[in-house]
Every structure is written in C-alpha cells, then in structure tokens.
Amino acid sequence: MKLTGKRVLVVEDRADGRELLCEILRRADAEVYAAASVREAFECMANMTPDVLVSDLAMPRRMDIH
C-alpha cells in the first residue's frame, strides 16, 4: 500500500520502535514526522496537521504540555 502525499505523525518514546515505524512508513512513501513525547507531538502539530497519527498508548503518564 502506498501512502504518497500522506503526512504521518509517529509518537513513540522508545527510539527503536519510533525508527522502525518511521522506516516502514517512509517505504510506503509517507511524509513522516516523529515525536518522542506528548510534548513533542503537540509542538509538531502546531506546525502541521497530520493525516494519520500513530501513537504508543503506553507512554509515560507525565504530560508537560504547558
């Protein structure tokens, strides 16, 4: 499946998982953005609107989003 022209935001605190997901999505021709925390994800979304959000659901509970 091709994701050409789709912006995908990957939110994953583990670097190895984040890199793997990003590589898979890039091979599908997606425009990939990555964030290692909730804060980084919100900062990224302030500058772009993703078409798809792929997120780790078991990230640390701390949400410093001030």
Side-chain angles (χ1 to χ4, degrees), residues 2-3 9 16 18 24 30-31 35 44 54 58 61 64 66:
K2 291 292 182 185
L3 297 172
L9 175 57
D16 57 343
R18 187 173 57 251
I24 291 168
E31 184 178 331
C44 186
V54 179
R61 295 187 72 174
D64 294 331
H66 299 67

Side-chain angles (χ1 to χ4, degrees), residues 45-65:
M45 288 189 295
N47 298 314
M48 58 78 81
T49 302
D51 297 301
V52 178
L53 174 68
V54 179
S55 180
D56 178 355
L57 295 177
M59 290 180 65
R61 295 187 72 174
R62 185 173 171 204
M63 291 182 52
D64 294 331
I65 58 172

Side-chain angles (χ1 to χ4, degrees), residues 11-13 18 35-42 59:
V11 185
E12 167 62 69
D13 58 326
R18 187 173 57 251
S37 67
V38 172
R39 174 181 284 245
E40 284 184 26
F42 277 108
M59 290 180 65

